Amino acid sequence: MVTGAGGALGTDLVARLTAPDAPPDDSVLAVTRAELDVTDAAAVRAAVHGWAAETAGAGRPVLVNAAAYTAVDRAETDPEAGAAAWAANAEAPGLLAAACAEVGATMVHVSTDYVLGPLPDGARRPLEPDDPTAPAGVYARSKLAGEQAVRAALPDAHHVVRTAWVYGATGANFVRTMARLSRERDTLDVVDDQHGSPTWSADLAVGLVALARSSAPAGTRHAAGGGATTWCGLARAVFEELGADPARVRPCDTASFPRPAPRPAWSVLSDASWRAAGLAPLPPWREALHTAVARHPELLLG
Ligand SMILES: NC(=O)c1ccc[n+]([C@@H]2O[C@H](COP(=O)([O-])OP(=O)(O)OC[C@H]3O[C@@H](n4cnc5c(N)ncnc54)[C@H](OP(=O)(O)O)[C@@H]3O)[C@@H](O)[C@H]2O)c1
């Protein structure tokens, strides 16, 4: 069962689960927000119980939660949006996990680099799942609370997967925005002091489905595109893909581009926990971007 199936990641999860090479016995129930509001406790319980009853005896039930409130800045500035973020990101995962516990399902829950804090002494190395958390901002705090609720309800049947800097073929994202701005402006100033691991949602979907089908023990793991760059580096790569001059993208610092929600300066995620579970690491981010725009040229239309 996939919740949030209409989002960027949800769309790719469903595509992966229903691809021609999917095991023929797999059955997939995908629900968009219109079909299941994950903040509605009664609806969540009914949907999960209904799904479990329909698929009883058909194998191991796994629910992948790709639903989330992702308008990070709006959650920070608009109290109603903040409340919606809390309901979808902090409380709903607990509702889903409790329902999974009732029917004996495993839950794969997607979380974010935003829950992590800076390393002690300003160290800079790829972040591991047991590195300190220090969520700054409403969205980040809501996502950490969601992780905690899932672990508490399903101590032996959860997979919490933190990812970062996701872009997909569906919806607004940084890659699309940079492509649009490349046509609208001669030069662009883009933040060069935040480091992270850009992640193509289709690659993440492949990884999450592999995890769901694996016998990996319960745990919290990181999965993001391989390697690291800055937002400026990612913007320049988008320009390269467009055949535009990457030098038109000029580096600036976070202080010159203030946003309502704080962003981590260091979001590079280690794939050690992913590999340790016997899972294939996601492809390197630059290669993934090239593949993504080749498969979805509309990404470059902005
Ligand atoms: N995007 C990133 O850079 C990034 C980075 C790290 C982690 N993540 C995590 O990755 C996961 C997938 O994110 P994404 O990039 O695919 O985001 P997305 O495109 O915004 O997808 C989220 C989906 O959840 C739906 N949703 C929101 N509230 C809901 C509710 N109450 N009930 C049911 N569905 C609801 C949204 O529907 P509407 O569009 O109709 O609201 C949307 O279809 C999330 O857990 C996110 O926190 C994302």
Side-chain angles (χ1 to χ4, degrees):
M1 178 166 174
V2 179
T3 51
L9 175 61
T11 302
D12 285 332
L13 277 167
V14 176
R16 178 66 185 164
L17 285 162
T18 55
D21 63 345
D25 294 341
D26 267 15
S27 68
V28 181
L29 172 64
V31 285
T32 62
R33 180 185 193 146
E35 290 155 335
L36 177 64
D37 177 346
V38 294
T39 66
D40 180 337
V44 163
R45 200 156 179 266
V48 171
H49 277 265
W51 159 63
E54 261 177 43
T55 53
R60 202 163 45 94
V62 183
L63 184 148
V64 187
N65 180 31
Y69 184 96
T70 56
V72 173
D73 288 322
R74 207 176 316 144
E76 205 66 25
T77 51
D78 169 0
E80 248 178 62
W86 193 261
N89 298 348
E91 291 170 357
L95 300 176
L96 290 163
C100 284
E102 286 168 4
V103 302
T106 297
M107 179 166 164
V108 177
H109 177 65
V110 183
S111 190
T112 168
D113 57 298
Y114 277 47
V115 304
L116 293 157
L119 290 166
D121 305 321
R124 295 223 153 164
R125 55 152 174 79
L127 298 165
E128 302 293 349
D130 56 359
D131 278 326
T133 53
V138 173
Y139 168 81
R141 284 194 292 277
S142 72
K143 291 295 290 184
L144 182 61
E147 288 187 5
Q148 289 163 340
V150 171
R151 288 189 205 103
L154 289 166
D156 302 318
H158 71 266
H159 295 296
V160 171
V161 180
R162 295 188 191 130
T163 190
W165 294 25
V166 178
Y167 62 93
T170 307
N173 58 54
F174 182 85
V175 170
R176 230 181 251 284
T177 303
M178 291 304 117
R180 176 171 53 77
L181 292 178
S182 76
R183 277 184 288 279
E184 294 175 358
R185 301 202 195 151
D186 291 338
T187 60
L188 278 184
D189 292 340
V190 182
V191 170
D192 198 37
D193 58 358
Q194 292 172 24
H195 302 255
S197 312
T199 305
W200 182 27
S201 57
D203 286 338
L204 179 60
V206 168
L208 293 174
V209 170
L211 173 64
R213 290 188 179 134
S214 77
S215 51
T220 299
R221 299 180 175 86
H222 290 173
T229 186
T230 63
W231 290 115
C232 180
L234 179 54
R236 284 181 168 159
V238 173
F239 273 54
E240 284 166 11
E241 293 295 335
L242 283 162
D245 180 5
R248 287 171 52 207
V249 181
R250 301 180 314 197
C252 72
D253 59 11
T254 301
S256 334
F257 195 72
R259 304 281 289 274
R263 266 69 175 169
W266 184 254
S267 277
V268 180
L269 300 183
S270 163
D271 63 10
S273 58
W274 199 251
R275 289 174 190 270
L279 299 160
L282 273 53
W285 75 267
R286 185 63 187 85
E287 189 183 306
L289 176 67
H290 187 68
T291 313
V293 301
R295 292 214 194 132
H296 299 281
E298 71 276 14
L299 265 173
L300 293 183
L301 296 177

